[in-house]
Amino acid sequence: MVLKLPPLPQRNDLVHPLSEDIDELDNEANRLMERIGQKMRWSLDACRTIAPLTLKINRLKKEKDVILIAHTYQTPDIVYGVADAVGDSYTLSKIARDAPQSVILFSSVRFMAETAKILSPDKTVLHPSPEAGCSLSEGIDADDVRKLRALHPGVPVACYINTTAAVKAECDVCVTSSNYLSIAENLPGDELIFVPDRLMGQHLRTYLEGKKTVYLHEADCEVHAAFNTNSIQRQRREARKRGIELRVLAHPECDADVLAASDFVGSSERILIEAKRIASEEEAAVMMITECGTAERAIAESEKPIELMGTCSMCRHMKKTHLEDILQAIESPRGDQIVEIGDDVIGRARDCLNQMFELAES
Ligand code: 13P
Ligand code: SF4
């Protein structure tokens, strides 16, 4: 593997007294090391420092009837240590909608925790890092949507799930990175307003050329918008020199040039599935043009060893949450860690999300 991965979260082990049974801690540290699958970075010693936290969180989850949902971009100690469900934003919204537990703890960015609250308004939804935002969801507000509607009266508005509840409440249908093309294509009419991601919107525009006019907003993902084709060309040259095939997998929040230079475009989950398929069926290396969490899951979950090339980028918002924050939020959540949204916004935002489920599952 020639991929550069982010440093491990720093922690002071003195704040976690080893009160647990030593055998239990050793078993948990071994379980973590095996599941994470990066024995150099997440050594047995590194796993021993987090084992008291994961044991405690897993115990409290049972006692307090909590489901812990984590996005793929969360760090491996969260993904493999304490999460009950991991996936892309579409999968996780359905899990949040259908969870039988009375409390949902969403380890991710704010708009995902808000989405869980919209879909399960009677449950307590905890978000350990309320300051963990997203450049897309912060790039548009409800007023921007109302202005676009006034500019293009009668045109349906589709919003990417990376938006606040207030923005969803103004839109007709929500989409995610796993369904934006098919949902947009099947909406009635020959015009569409798509917000807020201009890069995903440009991809949609190209896909719908000759069928629909697509009006866009100007926001982008600070992580995916920063990728360019130079690194793809460099890695392709490097692979050729080594006489190996290279498959390039990109997230649709990337620039049109990057998507055109890639072999596969898909959500974080679809990129992961494709990477695992390539590792098991082809003699090829994989380059993932996305956040590092997807590569870390591929390393841990691929049945056959996967050769990763190139670099990944970290989302500073996604990486804000640590095991310590999760433990504190389960033990005694602060007011700002409990997601609250007004009934009117919840009702209208839920219609927007339900419309997505109906179109995506039909
Ligand atoms: P996914 O739904 O593909 O996981 O995307 C969410 C996201 O924020 C990507 O940057
Ligand atoms: Fe938002 Fe980009 Fe981070 Fe995803 S990776 S949460 S789109 S800033």
Side-chain angles (χ1 to χ4, degrees):
M1 184 187 65
V2 283
L3 186 75
K4 192 170 125 258
L5 285 162
L8 301 185
Q10 295 296 309
R11 39 178 56 91
N12 171 5
D13 28 349
L14 291 177
V15 297
H16 311 305
L18 297 180
S19 54
E20 265 84 1
D21 175 88
I22 276 296
D23 285 344
E24 192 186 22
L25 279 171
D26 267 352
N27 290 342
E28 178 66 350
N30 272 299
R31 178 187 78 84
L32 292 164
M33 186 178 69
E34 292 303 326
R35 285 297 286 117
I36 294 171
Q38 299 179 50
K39 291 184 183 170
M40 300 299 279
R41 300 178 71 242
W42 292 90
S43 64
L44 194 56
D45 276 350
C47 290
R48 275 202 182 101
T49 67
I50 57 170
L53 287 163
T54 57
L55 283 171
K56 195 160 186 185
I57 291 168
N58 286 327
R59 234 181 351 251
L60 282 170
K61 276 183 351 196
K62 283 200 194 103
E63 278 169 34
K64 300 196 171 200
D65 194 29
V66 176
I67 180 170
L68 200 157
I69 300 179
H71 187 264
T72 291
Y73 297 169
Q74 298 296 283
T75 49
D77 50 345
I78 295 175
V79 168
Y80 300 108
V82 294
D84 300 303
V86 185
D88 64 14
S89 47
Y90 185 70
T91 313
L92 296 184
S93 3
K94 284 204 295 183
I95 289 169
R97 181 193 66 186
D98 302 336
Q101 290 84 350
S102 56
V103 181
I104 298 170
L105 186 144
F106 218 123
S107 186
S108 186
V109 288
R110 192 67 178 181
F111 76 82
M112 291 196 194
E114 279 195 358
T115 302
K117 183 68 182 177
I118 296 164
L119 294 168
S120 284
D122 299 330
K123 299 194 170 166
T124 301
V125 175
L126 301 177
H127 185 224
S129 313
E131 71 289 0
C134 163
S135 62
L136 280 171
S137 67
E138 280 149 29
I140 187 162
D141 62 22
D143 210 35
D144 292 323
V145 182
R146 287 191 285 266
K147 281 182 188 144
L148 276 164
R149 273 201 194 277
L151 219 58
H152 308 285
V155 175
V157 185
C159 62
Y160 190 30
I161 198 161
N162 297 38
T163 42
T164 60
V167 165
K168 289 185 179 76
E170 297 296 326
C171 299
D172 299 306
V173 60
C174 187
V175 298
T176 74
S177 54
S178 62
N179 57 35
Y180 65 106
L181 295 176
S182 59
I183 290 185
E185 187 171 21
N186 291 322
L187 288 174
D190 54 9
E191 289 176 293
L192 174 68
I193 299 169
F194 178 79
V195 297
D197 189 343
R198 78 186 159 87
L199 297 179
M200 186 180 278
Q202 274 159 14
H203 192 236
L204 184 59
R205 212 178 235 171
T206 308
Y207 179 76
L208 294 176
E209 206 164 345
K211 291 188 192 154
K212 275 183 204 290
T213 306
V214 183
Y215 307 110
L216 300 177
H217 181 74
E218 285 293 317
D220 55 34
C221 160
E222 67 189 44
V223 175
H224 290 94
F227 288 106
N228 60 49
T229 54
N230 295 345
S231 58
I232 301 181
Q233 283 154 4
R234 211 171 29 250
Q235 295 304 328
R236 285 208 192 276
R237 274 198 302 274
E238 173 68 21
R240 260 196 306 276
K241 239 195 294 176
R242 292 173 52 201
I244 55 170
E245 295 285 328
L246 178 67
R247 306 272 178 265
V248 180
L249 321 179
H251 195 277
E253 290 165 10
C254 295
D255 187 80
D257 289 353
V258 171
L259 300 183
S262 303
D263 303 303
F264 179 93
V265 176
S267 74
S268 57
E269 195 67 25
R270 294 207 177 157
I271 289 178
L272 176 68
I273 292 168
E274 179 63 4
K276 289 196 274 188
R277 187 200 65 71
I278 292 167
S280 71
E281 293 175 12
E282 296 181 22
E283 290 282 314
V286 172
M287 178 179 189
M288 293 181 178
I289 315 285
T290 188
E291 213 273 350
C292 297
T294 313
E296 301 215 74
R297 279 194 66 195
I299 294 165
E301 295 174 30
S302 179
E303 274 174 24
K304 294 233 177 108
I306 186 160
E307 178 162 5
L308 296 173
M309 290 182 70
T311 53
C312 55
S313 283
M314 268 202 296
C315 172
R316 64 194 167 107
H317 310 289
M318 284 281 185
K319 298 306 198 238
K320 274 213 166 104
T321 311
H322 301 292
L323 287 170
E324 287 84 347
D325 305 308
I326 293 175
L327 178 59
Q328 175 268 311
I330 298 189
E331 274 183 326
S332 62
R334 300 189 309 266
D336 64 344
Q337 292 172 319
I338 303 171
V339 180
E340 300 285 3
I341 305 168
D343 289 346
D344 169 55
V345 168
I346 285 204
R348 289 184 295 128
R350 195 167 54 231
D351 289 346
C352 175
L353 283 160
N354 282 341
Q355 188 65 20
M356 167 178 77
F357 292 129
E358 210 176 298
L359 294 171
E361 310 279 319
S362 63

